């Protein structure tokens, strides 16, 4: 579904990604885990066209999307929920959702998509006229996911959705992701919370210093003593 091949990215000479390859299958949750600064956000941002790539190729269902402008990549169905949510604080919940719709270029009535978002996160229906900046962190994360869903993603990219949230809220957000996935959505999930990510995903990769160092079934990675040693207990 989403194939990333030999991807390299540099920031002013600093190599953040060094030939990273991974493949996300249609209908799965794929987790990318790794320490701070390993290149996880860079990989998502490169896939979304937000940062330029130095080398490599990205394909969405066989179509090469690398090299396209970010808004065109979003329109082709690769939609990112950024780290730190980035909701527009002075706009209402409803307006933020509408922005997600407009950014993706999806035409036609948004009623059924809005219903889907409201059924997934009823709090967003209750707060539809409230300013997004007044929501809690968890509610803002739900809004950021809802905004992405309004663009009808073919693949949803999520950057650290658990960051800064209380465990009960993290569970709520992850249950929503699992529900979306059961309904058929393909998800690429970047997380520092390795245990949670590997419990949620079918397949996963570990990135360190810009290189993919392990890749396989999430359950196998969770049972790998080297991975467990490095990544469990920190999250
Ligand atoms: P984190 O969990 O801290 O976000 P990450 O795995 O997502 O970590 P990246 O944010 O992709 O890592 O960063 C990879 C490397 O690139 C790091 O060394 C980081 O300092 C560097 N980097 C990231 N963004 C920039 C930038 N805009 N300019 C220069 N260097 C950057």
């Amino acid at each position: 579904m989403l194939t990333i091949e030999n991807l390299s990215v540099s920031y002013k000479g600093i190599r953040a990604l060094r030939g990273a390859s991974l493949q996300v299958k249609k209908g799965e949750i794929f987790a990318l885990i790794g320490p701070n600064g390993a290149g996880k956000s860079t990989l998502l941002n490169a896939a979304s066209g937000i940062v330029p790539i130095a080398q490599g190729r990205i394909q969405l269902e066989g179509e090469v999307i690398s090299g396209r402008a970010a808004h065109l990549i979003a329109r082709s169905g690769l939609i990112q929920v950024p780290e730190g949510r980035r909701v527009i604080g002075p706009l209402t919940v409803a307006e933020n959702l509408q922005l997600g719709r407009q950014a993706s270029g999806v035409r036609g009535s948004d009623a059924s998509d809005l219903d889907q978002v409201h059924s997934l996160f009823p709090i967003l229906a209750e707060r539809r006229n409230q300013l997004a900046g007044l929501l809690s962190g968890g509610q803002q994360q739900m809004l950021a996911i809802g905004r992405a869903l309004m663009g009808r993603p073919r693949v949803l990219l999520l950057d650290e959705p658990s960051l800064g949230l209380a465990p009960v809220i993290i569970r709520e957000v992850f249950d929503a992701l699992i529900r979306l996935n059961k309904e058929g959505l393909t998800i690429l999930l970047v997380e520092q919370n390795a245990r949670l990510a590997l419990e949620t995903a079918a397949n996963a990769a570990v990135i360190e210093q810009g290189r993919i160092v392990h890749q396989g079934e999430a359950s196998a990675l969770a049972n790998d003593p080297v991975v467990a040693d490095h990544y469990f207990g920190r999250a």
Side-chain angles (χ1 to χ4, degrees):
M1 177 91 193
L2 177 66
T3 306
I4 294 178
E5 290 167 282
N6 198 25
L7 189 64
S8 294
V9 171
S10 295
Y11 298 108
K12 294 185 185 141
I14 302 163
R15 295 192 74 189
L17 276 184
R18 301 158 186 264
S21 298
L22 57 83
Q23 199 169 8
V24 181
K25 297 191 189 118
K26 193 170 186 143
E28 77 168 340
I29 299 181
F30 186 102
L32 180 63
I33 62 171
N36 257 329
K40 304 183 295 300
S41 299
T42 299
L43 186 136
L44 289 194
N45 291 339
S48 304
I50 298 167
V51 301
I53 68 175
Q55 190 192 317
R57 191 165 72 154
I58 301 166
Q59 292 179 72
L60 182 63
E61 286 194 311
E63 198 181 328
V64 177
I65 57 166
S66 38
R68 290 188 189 166
H71 71 283
L72 296 179
I73 291 178
R75 280 171 193 215
S76 63
L78 199 66
I79 301 189
Q80 185 170 356
V81 180
E83 187 171 352
R85 355 280 186 213
R86 310 244 182 103
V87 299
I88 313 296
L91 298 185
T92 65
V93 167
E95 287 165 343
N96 270 273
L97 292 175
Q98 200 49 47
L99 275 183
R101 183 65 164 203
Q102 284 161 7
S104 67
V106 176
R107 289 177 199 279
S109 162
D110 63 7
S112 66
D113 298 291
L114 202 54
D115 284 349
Q116 187 205 11
V117 169
H118 286 165
S119 124
L120 193 65
F121 299 122
I123 191 74
L124 298 182
E126 281 170 39
R127 304 271 161 100
R128 60 163 75 81
N129 295 319
Q130 200 173 91
L131 297 183
L134 299 177
L135 300 178
S136 69
Q139 291 163 354
Q140 289 191 2
Q141 183 62 63
M142 293 170 195
L143 178 55
I145 294 170
R147 180 178 58 187
L149 292 176
M150 291 300 287
R152 294 201 188 146
R154 286 153 81 193
V155 179
L156 186 67
L157 309 177
L158 288 138
D159 198 349
E160 305 266 7
S162 78
L163 199 70
L165 304 183
V168 62
I169 309 297
I170 293 176
R171 195 61 265 161
E172 213 178 310
V173 168
F174 273 69
D175 284 347
L177 296 179
I178 290 166
R179 181 171 151 194
L180 285 168
N181 175 250
K182 286 201 172 124
E183 289 166 3
L185 184 63
T186 307
I187 294 176
L188 172 54
L189 168 69
V190 155
E191 261 295 341
Q192 266 194 56
N193 187 334
R195 193 186 297 273
L196 176 66
L198 294 180
E199 273 169 19
T200 309
N203 291 295
V206 181
I207 187 167
E208 288 176 4
Q209 296 179 348
R211 288 196 174 87
I212 304 285
V213 293
H214 303 280
Q215 187 159 188
E217 283 182 22
S219 56
L221 286 178
N223 289 320
D224 181 327
V226 177
V227 174
D229 236 36
H230 273 81
Y231 295 106
F232 292 172
R234 284 192 200 176

